[in-house]
Each structure stands twice: as C-alpha cells, then as structure tokens.
Amino acid sequence: MERLPNPLRRHLAAVRAVAVLTVILGVLYPLLVTGVAQVLLSHQAGGSILRADGRDVGSALIGQSFTGQSFTGEDGAPIRKYFQSRPSTGGYDPLASGASNLGPQDVVDRLPDPRGVGQAARKGRVSLLTEVCARSKAVGELEGVSGARPYCAGDGVGAVLKVFPAVGTPTRVVSVNQACPATPFIRVYQGVRVECGRPGEDYSAGRTVPVRGDARAVVPPDAVTASGSGLDPHISVAYAELQAPRVARERGLGLDTVRTLIREHTTGRALGFLGESGVNVLELNLALDRER
C-alpha cells in the first residue's frame, strides 16, 4: 500500500471512508432508530393508524373526507352525522400534499366561456376569494347559520368590481365575478349602474375594487381555507363547536355528550404556546361511532 502513488492512496482512503460511513449512517443507524421507535413508539412509528370494526380506517396524522365520496351517502355531499374536516386543495390525497399557492390578491374569477378557445377558457378559473365565499356559504347552509362574510356576495362569489377607467371618474362598473344574467350584489357604484360579468370579455384594464360590505363572519376561517399541506387532521375548537348541534341532532345524542367528546379529543398548543388548540376529526368521529 505504501508503494502506491500518493494520488491513488488518497483515492482508496476516500473510498474506504465512504464505504464505512455508508454502512454506519445508511444501514446501522437507520436500523437502530427504527428498532428503538418500534419498541418505544410503535403506534407512531407505524403511521398512527386508527382501526374500527377490525379494519384500518385512516391515520390520526392525515385528514380525510367525510362525504359520500368515501362513505355511504350522496356523492360528494357531507355526511351529516360526521364532523367535517378542513378543506383540502389536494383532495386529501397524501401524494398530492400542498397548498394552492394563491394569495389574498387573487380575487378575480375567470368566468367560464363555452365559446372560448381551449379547455381552460371554457372551464374558467375560480379565485381564492370566491373559493372562500363558496365554502362559507356551503358551511352556513349545512350548519343552519349565516354563511356571509366580508368581501363575499350573497350568491357565494367574491364581491369584486372592475371600474373603468382605472383612473378618474367611473363611467362603467362590472361585478366581475357574477356571470350574466346574475343580478349584481350592488346596483350602483359612485353613481354608475353596475353590470354583470360577461364570459370572454377582457376586464384586465379596469381598476379592481373589492367591496367589504357589512357582513360579520360566523363560519370560522379554518372551515373555508385549506392548510399548507392540505392534509391537516385537526379543526379549530370553534369549527367543532359550530358543527356540534348538527351532529348531535343527526345521531340522536345530547349536545352535552357531543361537546364532552370534543373536549376529550382536543389537543393543546404545542409546547404550551405554539399554535392553537385543535380537534382531531377522525378520532372524534370514531368516538362518536362508538357511542351508538
């Protein structure tokens, strides 16, 4: 070995170091960590899988849908006896985890245009604001409360105007998210009659004016917005309390019983001060099923 040229000796030493570190860090260390986890935290290491009636029904770490798409009931409709999860941009698919990447400035829809060129034009695109408004309206109808919220029209779209010209005295105003023949959410803006939106018409030159209105939101924010992962298994205590009367009524249980189960499945803030308290939806629904 000493007779080998210096460059070759250095290369062989490097190869040996890589081989040793690969065995230690790539084989022995993972096996050790996995073994310790299986012995001390077997449930968590196995994915925190929850079982009911002798079968796996989900993970306590991943949100899922409680609608007719995965349970008995109307296709896509919320099953009324279950607490509903937070919205998911990826359809609760662990392989499609992620957010919409849309921000608070995304307030203008692209209206569907049957005469448009390309599938995107024909299908249109819903803004983040309209998604929030539509979800709030749907939750309000499901829970029997007001689904109104600021910057939302009564028909569940964003209350947004396009004002022309962009600078100066308005001569034309369009409720850009309400497709004709819809009635605009306000009749007049600064003395100009408000028009409904016409699919295919370009309103980009106008000034965007979101209208706050005087609505007070009853539906909690987490009921109308998805989490960053789209797989949050928890909802806020406020959203759980909003759903409690419906679930109690559908199951024939006392409201106090349902609220007690909510408290039992509420987790506090991480480390006592990070984030907010949350209610694990799957665990809560399984506990409700055991009450029958």
Side-chain angles (χ1 to χ4, degrees):
M1 186 71 175
E2 294 180 356
R3 298 173 184 174
L4 295 175
N6 285 337
L8 183 57
R9 288 207 308 271
R10 287 195 295 268
H11 280 82
L12 289 176
V15 170
R16 288 199 303 271
V18 169
V20 171
L21 291 174
T22 298
V23 172
I24 294 174
L25 300 179
V27 179
L28 299 179
Y29 177 73
L31 288 175
L32 175 64
V33 172
T34 301
V36 171
Q38 290 293 340
V39 172
L40 300 180
L41 302 166
S42 60
H43 177 64
Q44 293 88 334
S48 298
I49 301 300
L50 302 179
R51 296 176 60 83
D53 299 326
R55 62 188 180 90
D56 296 340
V57 294
S59 168
L61 305 176
I62 298 177
Q64 62 177 269
S65 171
F66 292 92
T67 69
Q69 294 173 336
S70 55
F71 291 82
T72 303
E74 222 177 301
D75 185 34
I79 299 180
R80 300 180 64 87
K81 69 176 183 176
Y82 286 112
F83 281 87
Q84 297 299 304
S85 301
R86 189 172 183 177
S88 170
T89 55
Y92 305 98
D93 181 358
L95 299 179
S97 174
S100 67
N101 293 327
L102 302 177
Q105 301 300 318
D106 187 53
V107 299
V108 177
D109 299 352
R110 184 170 64 237
L111 299 176
D113 183 7
R115 301 165 299 175
V117 178
Q119 183 178 0
R122 290 192 293 270
K123 187 177 180 180
R125 190 188 75 84
V126 174
S127 65
L128 176 62
L129 176 60
T130 289
E131 280 190 358
V132 168
C133 295
R135 290 167 179 166
S136 188
K137 182 174 182 290
V139 171
E141 292 172 350
L142 179 64
E143 308 303 343
V145 298
S146 171
R149 63 192 317 112
Y151 301 105
C152 292
D155 52 357
V157 301
V160 179
L161 303 176
K162 278 289 189 177
V163 179
F164 300 87
V167 179
T169 303
T171 59
R172 185 188 182 203
V173 181
V174 181
S175 178
V176 73
N177 291 340
Q178 292 181 295
C180 295
T183 301
F185 64 93
I186 57 173
R187 295 180 55 191
V188 177
Y189 177 78
Q190 294 187 6
V192 179
R193 183 178 65 84
V194 179
E195 307 171 15
C196 53
R198 300 184 182 280
E201 190 166 344
D202 184 5
Y203 296 115
S204 59
R207 174 164 52 94
T208 303
V209 181
V211 179
R212 189 185 193 284
D214 57 1
R216 175 181 172 274
V218 175
V219 177
D222 63 304
V224 297
T225 56
S227 63
S229 67
L231 300 173
D232 192 342
H234 297 89
I235 57 176
S236 67
V237 176
Y239 189 23
E241 289 287 349
L242 181 68
Q243 300 184 65
R246 164 180 54 83
V247 173
R249 184 170 58 251
E250 293 293 325
R251 290 178 175 268
L253 296 174
L255 184 56
D256 289 341
T257 299
V258 175
R259 285 176 170 164
T260 297
L261 290 173
I262 290 174
R263 289 193 296 272
E264 290 175 354
H265 293 87
T266 298
T267 58
R269 295 181 173 186
L271 302 178
F273 66 95
L274 294 177
E276 299 292 338
S277 299
V279 181
N280 191 292
V281 180
L282 177 57
E283 291 180 348
L284 176 57
N285 283 335
L286 291 176
L288 283 165
D289 284 344
R290 290 193 290 270
E291 288 288 320
R292 64 176 182 266

Short mmCIF file of all heavy atoms in Angstrom, two decimals, residues 72-134:
data_model
loop_
_atom_site.label_atom_id
_atom_site.label_comp_id
_atom_site.label_asym_id
_atom_site.label_seq_id
_atom_site.Cartn_x
_atom_site.Cartn_y
_atom_site.Cartn_z
N THR A 72 -71.01 5.84 2.78
CA THR A 72 -72.34 5.70 2.20
C THR A 72 -73.04 7.04 2.24
O THR A 72 -73.07 7.72 3.24
CB THR A 72 -73.16 4.67 2.99
OG1 THR A 72 -72.45 3.44 3.00
CG2 THR A 72 -74.53 4.46 2.37
N GLY A 73 -73.64 7.42 1.14
CA GLY A 73 -74.35 8.69 1.09
C GLY A 73 -74.33 9.27 -0.30
O GLY A 73 -73.87 8.67 -1.26
N GLU A 74 -74.86 10.47 -0.43
CA GLU A 74 -74.90 11.16 -1.70
C GLU A 74 -73.49 11.48 -2.16
O GLU A 74 -72.64 11.85 -1.37
CB GLU A 74 -75.68 12.47 -1.52
CG GLU A 74 -76.63 12.77 -2.65
CD GLU A 74 -77.39 14.04 -2.35
OE1 GLU A 74 -78.08 14.05 -1.31
OE2 GLU A 74 -77.27 14.97 -3.11
N ASP A 75 -73.21 11.32 -3.44
CA ASP A 75 -71.87 11.52 -3.95
C ASP A 75 -71.40 12.94 -3.71
O ASP A 75 -71.99 13.90 -4.20
CB ASP A 75 -71.83 11.21 -5.45
CG ASP A 75 -70.43 11.28 -6.00
OD1 ASP A 75 -69.49 10.94 -5.26
OD2 ASP A 75 -70.26 11.69 -7.16
N GLY A 76 -70.33 13.07 -2.94
CA GLY A 76 -69.76 14.38 -2.70
C GLY A 76 -70.43 15.19 -1.62
O GLY A 76 -69.90 16.22 -1.23
N ALA A 77 -71.57 14.77 -1.13
CA ALA A 77 -72.28 15.54 -0.12
C ALA A 77 -71.76 15.19 1.27
O ALA A 77 -71.48 14.02 1.56
CB ALA A 77 -73.78 15.24 -0.19
N PRO A 78 -71.60 16.17 2.15
CA PRO A 78 -71.16 15.87 3.52
C PRO A 78 -72.14 14.92 4.21
O PRO A 78 -73.35 15.08 4.11
CB PRO A 78 -71.17 17.25 4.20
CG PRO A 78 -71.09 18.23 3.10
CD PRO A 78 -71.82 17.61 1.94
N ILE A 79 -71.60 13.95 4.91
CA ILE A 79 -72.44 13.05 5.68
C ILE A 79 -72.75 13.75 7.00
O ILE A 79 -71.85 14.06 7.78
CB ILE A 79 -71.75 11.71 5.92
CG1 ILE A 79 -71.47 11.04 4.57
CG2 ILE A 79 -72.60 10.79 6.79
CD1 ILE A 79 -70.79 9.71 4.67
N ARG A 80 -74.00 14.00 7.24
CA ARG A 80 -74.42 14.93 8.28
C ARG A 80 -74.14 14.43 9.69
O ARG A 80 -74.05 15.22 10.61
CB ARG A 80 -75.90 15.25 8.11
CG ARG A 80 -76.25 15.90 6.77
CD ARG A 80 -77.73 16.19 6.65
NE ARG A 80 -78.15 17.17 7.65
CZ ARG A 80 -78.10 18.48 7.47
NH1 ARG A 80 -77.63 18.99 6.34
NH2 ARG A 80 -78.51 19.31 8.41
N LYS A 81 -73.97 13.14 9.88
CA LYS A 81 -73.72 12.63 11.23
C LYS A 81 -72.25 12.70 11.63
O LYS A 81 -71.89 12.36 12.74
CB LYS A 81 -74.23 11.20 11.37
CG LYS A 81 -73.44 10.16 10.60
CD LYS A 81 -73.98 8.77 10.89
CE LYS A 81 -73.15 7.69 10.19
NZ LYS A 81 -73.63 6.34 10.55
N TYR A 82 -71.40 13.13 10.69
CA TYR A 82 -69.97 13.23 10.96
C TYR A 82 -69.51 14.69 11.01
O TYR A 82 -70.02 15.54 10.28
CB TYR A 82 -69.15 12.51 9.89
CG TYR A 82 -69.20 11.00 9.99
CD1 TYR A 82 -69.84 10.24 9.01
CD2 TYR A 82 -68.59 10.35 11.05
CE1 TYR A 82 -69.88 8.86 9.10
CE2 TYR A 82 -68.62 8.96 11.14
CZ TYR A 82 -69.27 8.22 10.17
OH TYR A 82 -69.31 6.86 10.26
N PHE A 83 -68.51 14.94 11.85
CA PHE A 83 -67.83 16.23 11.80
C PHE A 83 -67.05 16.29 10.49
O PHE A 83 -66.45 15.31 10.06
CB PHE A 83 -66.88 16.37 12.99
CG PHE A 83 -67.55 16.74 14.27
CD1 PHE A 83 -68.09 15.76 15.10
CD2 PHE A 83 -67.68 18.07 14.64
CE1 PHE A 83 -68.72 16.09 16.28
CE2 PHE A 83 -68.32 18.42 15.83
CZ PHE A 83 -68.85 17.42 16.65
N GLN A 84 -67.05 17.46 9.87
CA GLN A 84 -66.37 17.65 8.61
C GLN A 84 -64.96 18.20 8.82
O GLN A 84 -64.71 18.98 9.73
CB GLN A 84 -67.17 18.59 7.70
CG GLN A 84 -68.54 18.05 7.32
CD GLN A 84 -68.44 16.74 6.56
OE1 GLN A 84 -67.77 16.65 5.53
NE2 GLN A 84 -69.11 15.71 7.07
N SER A 85 -64.03 17.76 7.97
CA SER A 85 -62.64 18.17 8.06
C SER A 85 -62.43 19.54 7.43
O SER A 85 -63.31 20.10 6.78
CB SER A 85 -61.74 17.16 7.36
OG SER A 85 -61.88 15.88 7.93
N ARG A 86 -61.24 20.05 7.62
CA ARG A 86 -60.83 21.29 6.96
C ARG A 86 -60.71 21.04 5.45
O ARG A 86 -60.38 19.92 5.03
CB ARG A 86 -59.48 21.72 7.53
CG ARG A 86 -59.04 23.09 7.10
CD ARG A 86 -57.79 23.52 7.86
NE ARG A 86 -57.42 24.86 7.50
CZ ARG A 86 -56.41 25.53 8.04
NH1 ARG A 86 -55.68 24.95 8.97
NH2 ARG A 86 -56.14 26.77 7.67
N PRO A 87 -60.99 22.04 4.60
CA PRO A 87 -60.85 21.84 3.15
C PRO A 87 -59.45 21.41 2.76
O PRO A 87 -58.47 21.71 3.45
CB PRO A 87 -61.18 23.23 2.57
CG PRO A 87 -62.01 23.89 3.62
CD PRO A 87 -61.51 23.38 4.93
N SER A 88 -59.35 20.69 1.65
CA SER A 88 -58.06 20.23 1.15
C SER A 88 -57.93 20.58 -0.32
O SER A 88 -58.83 20.30 -1.12
CB SER A 88 -57.94 18.71 1.32
OG SER A 88 -56.80 18.21 0.64
N THR A 89 -56.81 21.20 -0.69
CA THR A 89 -56.60 21.54 -2.11
C THR A 89 -56.21 20.31 -2.92
O THR A 89 -56.32 20.33 -4.14
CB THR A 89 -55.49 22.59 -2.24
OG1 THR A 89 -54.30 22.12 -1.59
CG2 THR A 89 -55.92 23.90 -1.61
N GLY A 90 -55.76 19.25 -2.27
CA GLY A 90 -55.34 18.05 -2.97
C GLY A 90 -56.30 16.89 -2.84
O GLY A 90 -55.94 15.75 -3.13
N GLY A 91 -57.52 17.16 -2.39
CA GLY A 91 -58.49 16.08 -2.24
C GLY A 91 -58.12 15.07 -1.19
O GLY A 91 -58.47 13.89 -1.30
N TYR A 92 -57.39 15.49 -0.14
CA TYR A 92 -56.97 14.63 0.97
C TYR A 92 -56.09 13.47 0.49
O TYR A 92 -56.02 12.42 1.11
CB TYR A 92 -58.19 14.07 1.72
CG TYR A 92 -59.13 15.13 2.21
CD1 TYR A 92 -60.27 15.46 1.49
CD2 TYR A 92 -58.88 15.83 3.38
CE1 TYR A 92 -61.14 16.45 1.93
CE2 TYR A 92 -59.73 16.83 3.82
CZ TYR A 92 -60.85 17.13 3.09
OH TYR A 92 -61.70 18.11 3.51
N ASP A 93 -55.42 13.66 -0.65
CA ASP A 93 -54.53 12.64 -1.19
C ASP A 93 -53.11 12.89 -0.66
O ASP A 93 -52.53 13.94 -0.95
CB ASP A 93 -54.53 12.71 -2.72
CG ASP A 93 -53.65 11.65 -3.35
OD1 ASP A 93 -53.00 10.88 -2.61
OD2 ASP A 93 -53.61 11.58 -4.59
N PRO A 94 -52.55 11.96 0.13
CA PRO A 94 -51.20 12.18 0.67
C PRO A 94 -50.14 12.40 -0.41
O PRO A 94 -49.12 13.02 -0.16
CB PRO A 94 -50.92 10.89 1.46
CG PRO A 94 -52.27 10.35 1.79
CD PRO A 94 -53.15 10.71 0.63
N LEU A 95 -50.39 11.88 -1.62
CA LEU A 95 -49.43 12.07 -2.70
C LEU A 95 -49.58 13.42 -3.38
O LEU A 95 -48.75 13.80 -4.22
CB LEU A 95 -49.60 10.95 -3.75
CG LEU A 95 -49.37 9.52 -3.24
CD1 LEU A 95 -49.60 8.52 -4.37
CD2 LEU A 95 -47.96 9.38 -2.68
N ALA A 96 -50.64 14.15 -3.03
CA ALA A 96 -50.87 15.47 -3.63
C ALA A 96 -50.84 16.55 -2.57
O ALA A 96 -51.53 17.56 -2.67
CB ALA A 96 -52.21 15.49 -4.37
N SER A 97 -50.05 16.33 -1.53
CA SER A 97 -49.97 17.29 -0.44
C SER A 97 -49.44 18.63 -0.93
O SER A 97 -48.50 18.69 -1.72
CB SER A 97 -49.06 16.75 0.67
OG SER A 97 -48.86 17.71 1.67
N GLY A 98 -50.06 19.70 -0.48
CA GLY A 98 -49.60 21.03 -0.86
C GLY A 98 -50.73 22.03 -0.78
O GLY A 98 -51.89 21.69 -0.55
N ALA A 99 -50.37 23.29 -0.94
CA ALA A 99 -51.34 24.38 -0.90
C ALA A 99 -51.64 24.85 -2.32
O ALA A 99 -51.00 24.42 -3.29
CB ALA A 99 -50.79 25.53 -0.06
N SER A 100 -52.60 25.76 -2.43
CA SER A 100 -52.97 26.28 -3.75
C SER A 100 -51.97 27.31 -4.25
O SER A 100 -51.93 27.62 -5.45
CB SER A 100 -54.36 26.92 -3.69
OG SER A 100 -54.33 28.08 -2.87
N ASN A 101 -51.17 27.87 -3.34
CA ASN A 101 -50.21 28.95 -3.65
C ASN A 101 -50.91 30.22 -4.12
O ASN A 101 -50.27 31.08 -4.75
CB ASN A 101 -49.19 28.50 -4.70
CG ASN A 101 -48.27 27.41 -4.20
OD1 ASN A 101 -47.94 27.38 -3.01
ND2 ASN A 101 -47.86 26.50 -5.06
N LEU A 102 -52.19 30.36 -3.83
CA LEU A 102 -52.92 31.58 -4.14
C LEU A 102 -52.90 32.49 -2.92
O LEU A 102 -53.00 32.03 -1.79
CB LEU A 102 -54.35 31.26 -4.55
CG LEU A 102 -54.51 30.33 -5.76
CD1 LEU A 102 -55.98 30.04 -6.01
CD2 LEU A 102 -53.87 30.96 -6.99
N GLY A 103 -52.79 33.78 -3.15
CA GLY A 103 -52.70 34.73 -2.06
C GLY A 103 -53.90 35.65 -1.97
O GLY A 103 -54.85 35.54 -2.76
N PRO A 104 -53.89 36.59 -1.03
CA PRO A 104 -55.04 37.46 -0.81
C PRO A 104 -55.34 38.40 -1.96
O PRO A 104 -56.43 38.99 -2.01
CB PRO A 104 -54.65 38.24 0.45
CG PRO A 104 -53.16 38.15 0.51
CD PRO A 104 -52.80 36.84 -0.07
N GLN A 105 -54.41 38.55 -2.90
CA GLN A 105 -54.68 39.40 -4.06
C GLN A 105 -55.44 38.66 -5.16
O GLN A 105 -55.84 39.28 -6.15
CB GLN A 105 -53.36 39.94 -4.63
CG GLN A 105 -52.55 40.77 -3.64
CD GLN A 105 -53.31 41.99 -3.16
OE1 GLN A 105 -53.98 42.68 -3.93
NE2 GLN A 105 -53.25 42.25 -1.85
N ASP A 106 -55.63 37.35 -5.00
CA ASP A 106 -56.33 36.57 -6.02
C ASP A 106 -57.84 36.66 -5.78
O ASP A 106 -58.42 35.85 -5.06
CB ASP A 106 -55.87 35.11 -5.96
CG ASP A 106 -56.42 34.28 -7.10
OD1 ASP A 106 -56.26 34.69 -8.26
OD2 ASP A 106 -57.03 33.23 -6.83
N VAL A 107 -58.47 37.69 -6.37
CA VAL A 107 -59.87 37.98 -6.08
C VAL A 107 -60.76 37.99 -7.32
O VAL A 107 -61.99 38.10 -7.19
CB VAL A 107 -60.00 39.34 -5.35
CG1 VAL A 107 -59.26 39.31 -4.02
CG2 VAL A 107 -59.49 40.50 -6.22
N VAL A 108 -60.19 37.87 -8.51
CA VAL A 108 -60.97 37.97 -9.74
C VAL A 108 -61.06 36.61 -10.41
O VAL A 108 -60.04 35.97 -10.70
CB VAL A 108 -60.35 39.00 -10.71
CG1 VAL A 108 -61.13 39.04 -12.03
CG2 VAL A 108 -60.33 40.38 -10.08
N ASP A 109 -62.29 36.14 -10.67
CA ASP A 109 -62.50 34.88 -11.37
C ASP A 109 -62.29 35.05 -12.87
O ASP A 109 -62.41 36.16 -13.40
CB ASP A 109 -63.94 34.38 -11.15
CG ASP A 109 -64.26 34.12 -9.70
OD1 ASP A 109 -63.34 34.18 -8.86
OD2 ASP A 109 -65.45 33.88 -9.40
N ARG A 110 -62.00 33.95 -13.54
CA ARG A 110 -62.11 33.91 -14.99
C ARG A 110 -63.37 33.13 -15.31
O ARG A 110 -63.45 31.92 -15.09
CB ARG A 110 -60.88 33.24 -15.62
CG ARG A 110 -60.93 33.26 -17.15
CD ARG A 110 -59.62 32.82 -17.78
NE ARG A 110 -59.32 31.43 -17.46
CZ ARG A 110 -58.22 31.03 -16.86
NH1 ARG A 110 -57.32 31.90 -16.47
NH2 ARG A 110 -58.02 29.75 -16.61
N LEU A 111 -64.38 33.82 -15.77
CA LEU A 111 -65.70 33.21 -15.96
C LEU A 111 -65.66 32.15 -17.04
O LEU A 111 -64.99 32.33 -18.07
CB LEU A 111 -66.73 34.28 -16.31
CG LEU A 111 -66.93 35.38 -15.26
CD1 LEU A 111 -67.91 36.44 -15.78
CD2 LEU A 111 -67.42 34.81 -13.95
N PRO A 112 -66.38 31.03 -16.86
CA PRO A 112 -66.43 30.01 -17.90
C PRO A 112 -67.02 30.58 -19.19
O PRO A 112 -68.01 31.31 -19.16
CB PRO A 112 -67.36 28.94 -17.29
CG PRO A 112 -67.33 29.20 -15.82
CD PRO A 112 -67.15 30.67 -15.66
N ASP A 113 -66.40 30.24 -20.31
CA ASP A 113 -66.85 30.73 -21.61
C ASP A 113 -67.00 29.56 -22.56
O ASP A 113 -66.02 29.03 -23.08
CB ASP A 113 -65.82 31.73 -22.16
CG ASP A 113 -66.28 32.35 -23.48
OD1 ASP A 113 -67.43 32.11 -23.88
OD2 ASP A 113 -65.47 33.08 -24.08
N PRO A 114 -68.25 29.10 -22.80
CA PRO A 114 -68.47 27.95 -23.68
C PRO A 114 -67.91 28.17 -25.08
O PRO A 114 -67.59 27.21 -25.79
CB PRO A 114 -70.00 27.82 -23.72
CG PRO A 114 -70.47 28.54 -22.49
CD PRO A 114 -69.51 29.64 -22.26
N ARG A 115 -67.76 29.43 -25.49
CA ARG A 115 -67.25 29.72 -26.84
C ARG A 115 -65.75 29.94 -26.85
O ARG A 115 -65.16 30.20 -27.90
CB ARG A 115 -67.93 30.98 -27.38
CG ARG A 115 -69.46 30.88 -27.45
CD ARG A 115 -70.06 32.25 -27.62
NE ARG A 115 -69.71 33.11 -26.47
CZ ARG A 115 -70.02 34.39 -26.40
NH1 ARG A 115 -70.69 34.97 -27.38
NH2 ARG A 115 -69.68 35.09 -25.33
N GLY A 116 -65.11 29.84 -25.69
CA GLY A 116 -63.68 30.11 -25.60
C GLY A 116 -62.84 29.06 -26.28
O GLY A 116 -63.27 27.93 -26.52
N VAL A 117 -61.61 29.44 -26.57
CA VAL A 117 -60.66 28.53 -27.21
C VAL A 117 -59.84 27.83 -26.13
O VAL A 117 -59.19 28.48 -25.32
CB VAL A 117 -59.73 29.30 -28.16
CG1 VAL A 117 -58.71 28.36 -28.79
CG2 VAL A 117 -60.53 30.00 -29.24
N GLY A 118 -59.88 26.52 -26.12
CA GLY A 118 -59.12 25.75 -25.13
C GLY A 118 -59.97 25.40 -23.92
O GLY A 118 -60.92 26.09 -23.57
N GLN A 119 -59.60 24.28 -23.30
CA GLN A 119 -60.36 23.80 -22.15
C GLN A 119 -60.32 24.77 -20.99
O GLN A 119 -61.31 24.95 -20.28
CB GLN A 119 -59.81 22.44 -21.71
CG GLN A 119 -60.59 21.80 -20.57
CD GLN A 119 -60.04 20.44 -20.20
OE1 GLN A 119 -59.08 19.97 -20.78
NE2 GLN A 119 -60.66 19.80 -19.21
N ALA A 120 -59.17 25.41 -20.76
CA ALA A 120 -59.04 26.35 -19.65
C ALA A 120 -60.03 27.50 -19.78
O ALA A 120 -60.65 27.93 -18.80
CB ALA A 120 -57.62 26.87 -19.56
N ALA A 121 -60.17 28.02 -20.98
CA ALA A 121 -61.10 29.14 -21.20
C ALA A 121 -62.54 28.68 -21.03
O ALA A 121 -63.36 29.41 -20.46
CB ALA A 121 -60.88 29.72 -22.60
N ARG A 122 -62.85 27.50 -21.52
CA ARG A 122 -64.23 27.01 -21.41
C ARG A 122 -64.59 26.69 -19.97
O ARG A 122 -65.73 26.88 -19.55
CB ARG A 122 -64.43 25.78 -22.31
CG ARG A 122 -64.41 26.10 -23.79
CD ARG A 122 -64.88 24.92 -24.62
NE ARG A 122 -63.95 23.81 -24.55
CZ ARG A 122 -62.94 23.64 -25.39
NH1 ARG A 122 -62.71 24.52 -26.35
NH2 ARG A 122 -62.14 22.60 -25.27
N LYS A 123 -63.62 26.19 -19.23
CA LYS A 123 -63.88 25.81 -17.84
C LYS A 123 -63.82 27.01 -16.90
O LYS A 123 -64.52 27.07 -15.88
CB LYS A 123 -62.86 24.77 -17.40
CG LYS A 123 -63.13 24.18 -16.03
CD LYS A 123 -62.11 23.09 -15.72
CE LYS A 123 -62.36 22.49 -14.34
NZ LYS A 123 -61.38 21.43 -14.00
N GLY A 124 -62.97 28.01 -17.22
CA GLY A 124 -62.81 29.17 -16.36
C GLY A 124 -61.91 28.84 -15.17
O GLY A 124 -61.36 27.74 -15.06
N ARG A 125 -61.78 29.81 -14.27
CA ARG A 125 -60.97 29.61 -13.07
C ARG A 125 -61.55 30.41 -11.92
O ARG A 125 -61.92 31.57 -12.07
CB ARG A 125 -59.52 30.04 -13.29
CG ARG A 125 -58.59 29.63 -12.16
CD ARG A 125 -57.21 30.25 -12.32
NE ARG A 125 -57.23 31.67 -11.98
CZ ARG A 125 -57.13 32.15 -10.74
NH1 ARG A 125 -57.01 31.32 -9.71
NH2 ARG A 125 -57.14 33.44 -10.51
N VAL A 126 -61.66 29.75 -10.78
CA VAL A 126 -62.22 30.39 -9.59
C VAL A 126 -61.10 30.99 -8.76
O VAL A 126 -60.08 30.33 -8.52
CB VAL A 126 -63.02 29.37 -8.76
CG1 VAL A 126 -63.49 29.99 -7.46
CG2 VAL A 126 -64.20 28.85 -9.56
N SER A 127 -61.26 32.22 -8.33
CA SER A 127 -60.25 32.88 -7.49
C SER A 127 -60.30 32.31 -6.07
O SER A 127 -61.26 31.66 -5.66
CB SER A 127 -60.51 34.38 -7.46
OG SER A 127 -61.75 34.66 -6.81
N LEU A 128 -59.24 32.60 -5.31
CA LEU A 128 -59.21 32.18 -3.92
C LEU A 128 -60.35 32.82 -3.14
O LEU A 128 -60.99 32.17 -2.30
CB LEU A 128 -57.87 32.55 -3.29
CG LEU A 128 -57.72 32.25 -1.79
CD1 LEU A 128 -57.85 30.76 -1.52
CD2 LEU A 128 -56.39 32.78 -1.26
N LEU A 129 -60.64 34.08 -3.42
CA LEU A 129 -61.73 34.76 -2.71
C LEU A 129 -63.06 34.06 -2.96
O LEU A 129 -63.83 33.82 -2.01
CB LEU A 129 -61.82 36.22 -3.15
CG LEU A 129 -62.98 37.02 -2.55
CD1 LEU A 129 -62.90 37.05 -1.03
CD2 LEU A 129 -63.00 38.44 -3.11
N THR A 130 -63.36 33.72 -4.20
CA THR A 130 -64.62 33.03 -4.49
C THR A 130 -64.65 31.64 -3.86
O THR A 130 -65.70 31.18 -3.41
CB THR A 130 -64.85 32.96 -6.01
OG1 THR A 130 -65.15 34.28 -6.49
CG2 THR A 130 -66.01 32.05 -6.35
N GLU A 131 -63.50 30.94 -3.83
CA GLU A 131 -63.45 29.64 -3.14
C GLU A 131 -63.85 29.80 -1.69
O GLU A 131 -64.65 29.02 -1.15
CB GLU A 131 -62.05 29.05 -3.23
CG GLU A 131 -61.74 28.36 -4.53
CD GLU A 131 -60.42 27.59 -4.46
OE1 GLU A 131 -59.77 27.64 -3.40
OE2 GLU A 131 -60.06 26.95 -5.46
N VAL A 132 -63.29 30.81 -1.02
CA VAL A 132 -63.60 31.06 0.38
C VAL A 132 -65.09 31.39 0.54
O VAL A 132 -65.76 30.88 1.45
CB VAL A 132 -62.72 32.20 0.93
CG1 VAL A 132 -63.23 32.67 2.29
CG2 VAL A 132 -61.28 31.72 1.06
N CYS A 133 -65.61 32.25 -0.33
CA CYS A 133 -67.03 32.65 -0.24
C CYS A 133 -67.95 31.46 -0.46
O CYS A 133 -68.95 31.29 0.26
CB CYS A 133 -67.33 33.74 -1.26
SG CYS A 133 -66.45 35.30 -0.98
N ALA A 134 -67.63 30.62 -1.45
CA ALA A 134 -68.48 29.45 -1.74
C ALA A 134 -68.44 28.46 -0.59
O ALA A 134 -69.48 27.88 -0.22
CB ALA A 134 -68.00 28.79 -3.03
#
